[in-house]
Amino acid sequence: MENEQQLDYLQVASGCGNHYKWQLSFGQEWLTIDNDHVIETHYCQPGAKGITINTSNGQVFIDFDTLQTTKTGVQVRRLSFLPQGQREEVAWYFRDDSLWREYGSQGSGMLASSVSSRDVEDQYTLSPQGAFVFMVGFTNYSLNFSTMTQTNYITGLSRNVRRRPKFTSSTVSPNSVPSMASSSQHAVGGYKWEFMGNEGEWTEYQAHLCSFDSPAIESQYQLNPQGQLNFNTSYFSYTLDFSRMCQVNNRIGTTRAVRRTFINGSQQSSSLSSTPRWQFLDIGGIWRDYSSSKCTISSQDIELQYQQNPTGTMRFNTPSFTYELNFSAMTQKNLATNTTRRVQRI
């Protein structure tokens, strides 16, 4: 009976233009997650550890590596439905020193591997718990699917591996957030892209001033979060580097910081997004939000990094200094002066 219900559901869902569906179970039936394209968009990004969504039973964190939740008694699943004989396009990534790189791609100063994502997927389909060997230059590597690791035969160095579906343009819509069908809906306005102006103020990209505005940049970012975007103004051409979050003047080489912030479209409502607020303890014992015009990050940016690695660190800049935020110690450190301030998440 469950298989029959699932088949009927897939037939309905396939008519909606998506080839996937995310669902949660709180111990009984599976419930469809509204606006699950937001979850899918994050899931397609290799650097995303997971996502927190709001439900009628509280917040639920979905771990993308294990496809499990951290909430007791709550299960998650991702259904995929494609025409018979058609496979979902999947990408395989390994963790480089600082980035997730797709197999077959060639990074700066690196040799491309002898296998592509398609090759890895073929091996995975044959033996999901097995392993296989490939070469990069003259070095052999072993890719172990059961542990999702890649090991250098010579040095013994192991790197984490991730398998994620390829992003498709129908995956994202910037005007909604994931929630359960039984929960109230929250309107949002997508993401805003800004660069640091001459006066230390954040300035949003506008289509009448350059060839891209925030929605257009966000669309390009979703296609390749580690890529670059070229655009023009009346006088110069620029490169927007998503991996470094900076804008470079292609003629004179000037570099400016760039930030991407989540915009809640229902600001007139008293029930705003439930994203936690991040604050630092300023001089005089005053707690201040990470939302000032001179800071390169917002509470939303910090929360996203925190969800990916709650015991890790992240760095950000102001016009004068570079700081490191330590999640395990809940501190902020000025890397130039070594001054440390307390941080809180509320």
Side-chain angles (χ1 to χ4, degrees):
M1 184 64 181
E2 181 180 357
N3 291 337
E4 294 176 358
Q5 292 175 341
Q6 179 173 328
L7 178 60
D8 292 340
Y9 167 76
L10 296 181
Q11 290 173 342
V12 173
S14 62
C16 299
N18 292 330
H19 64 275
Y20 59 84
K21 211 66 181 175
W22 288 83
Q23 295 181 321
L24 285 179
S25 171
F26 292 89
Q28 298 179 348
E29 61 180 335
W30 287 98
L31 302 175
T32 299
I33 303 176
D34 288 346
N35 302 318
D36 60 350
H37 53 265
V38 179
I39 301 177
E40 183 72 10
T41 298
H42 284 273
Y43 184 56
C44 290
Q45 300 178 21
K49 170 65 177 175
I51 190 172
T52 299
I53 64 173
N54 297 317
T55 76
S56 56
N57 293 298
Q59 289 192 336
V60 174
F61 177 75
I62 300 173
D63 187 311
F64 289 152
D65 287 334
T66 62
L67 281 186
Q68 296 177 350
T69 76
T70 56
K71 197 175 184 71
T72 303
V74 181
Q75 295 178 292
V76 62
R77 70 180 181 182
R78 177 185 182 271
L79 302 177
S80 178
F81 42 92
L82 292 167
Q84 187 173 5
Q86 182 178 339
R87 293 198 311 180
E88 183 174 42
E89 189 174 5
V90 172
W92 283 82
Y93 304 88
F94 65 92
R95 177 69 176 182
D96 196 3
D97 292 334
S98 58
L99 300 173
W100 287 94
R101 298 191 184 277
E102 185 176 356
Y103 282 92
S105 66
Q106 184 172 359
S108 176
M110 298 177 57
L111 294 174
S113 66
S114 59
V115 295
S116 64
S117 286
R118 176 60 63 89
D119 298 326
V120 178
E121 181 66 14
D122 288 342
Q123 294 292 326
Y124 176 78
T125 302
L126 292 173
S127 179
Q129 296 299 317
F132 81 105
V133 178
F134 64 95
M135 294 188 68
V136 178
F138 298 101
T139 305
N140 286 326
Y141 292 84
S142 173
L143 204 164
N144 189 314
F145 296 130
S146 61
T147 60
M148 291 299 280
T149 55
Q150 164 194 296
T151 303
N152 184 312
Y153 270 8
I154 297 177
T155 65
L157 177 66
S158 291
R159 297 183 184 276
N160 291 328
V161 171
R162 282 180 176 170
R163 175 182 183 265
R164 298 290 171 86
K166 283 286 187 76
F167 176 84
T168 59
S169 59
S170 62
T171 300
V172 65
S173 171
N175 297 317
S176 50
V177 294
S179 59
M180 295 303 300
S182 58
S183 301
S184 60
Q185 300 300 303
H186 304 277
V188 299
Y191 289 88
K192 179 168 67 173
W193 285 84
E194 300 170 295
F195 63 91
M196 181 67 77
N198 292 330
E199 302 300 324
E201 300 292 330
W202 287 106
T203 305
E204 184 176 5
Y205 287 93
Q206 302 288 343
H208 67 280
L209 297 177
C210 65
S211 47
F212 286 90
D213 56 11
S214 286
I217 295 174
E218 179 64 20
S219 177
Q220 294 296 315
Y221 174 80
Q222 294 290 349
L223 291 173
N224 185 6
Q226 300 296 330
Q228 296 180 339
L229 173 64
N230 294 313
F231 65 92
N232 299 298
T233 65
S234 301
Y235 303 102
F236 299 104
S237 67
Y238 296 87
T239 297
L240 204 166
D241 191 319
F242 295 136
S243 64
R244 297 168 53 205
M245 288 303 283
C246 68
Q247 166 193 298
V248 181
N249 185 310
N250 294 330
R251 179 179 173 185
I252 61 179
T254 303
T255 300
R256 297 182 184 275
V258 170
R259 74 175 181 181
R260 171 180 179 258
T261 54
F262 183 77
I263 305 301
N264 191 317
S266 58
Q267 294 180 358
Q268 71 278 10
S269 171
S270 59
S271 58
L272 300 181
S273 169
S274 59
T275 300
R277 289 168 56 196
W278 284 83
Q279 299 177 319
F280 63 93
L281 188 61
D282 202 358
I283 298 174
I286 301 175
W287 288 99
R288 299 192 185 278
D289 290 343
Y290 284 93
S291 59
S292 69
S293 61
K294 296 184 181 298
C295 181
T296 57
I297 57 171
S298 63
S299 286
Q300 179 72 22
D301 301 324
I302 298 173
E303 182 64 20
L304 179 60
Q305 293 294 321
Y306 175 79
Q307 293 292 348
Q308 292 179 15
N309 187 3
T311 60
T313 62
M314 70 176 293
R315 293 188 179 186
F316 63 93
N317 301 303
T318 66
S320 302
F321 298 105
T322 298
Y323 295 86
E324 182 176 82
L325 208 164
N326 188 314
F327 296 134
S328 60
M330 291 300 282
T331 57
Q332 166 193 294
K333 182 178 181 180
N334 185 315
L335 298 182
T337 65
N338 287 324
T339 303
T340 300
R341 299 185 184 280
R342 289 171 53 198
V343 170
Q344 67 178 5
R345 175 176 179 262
I346 60 175

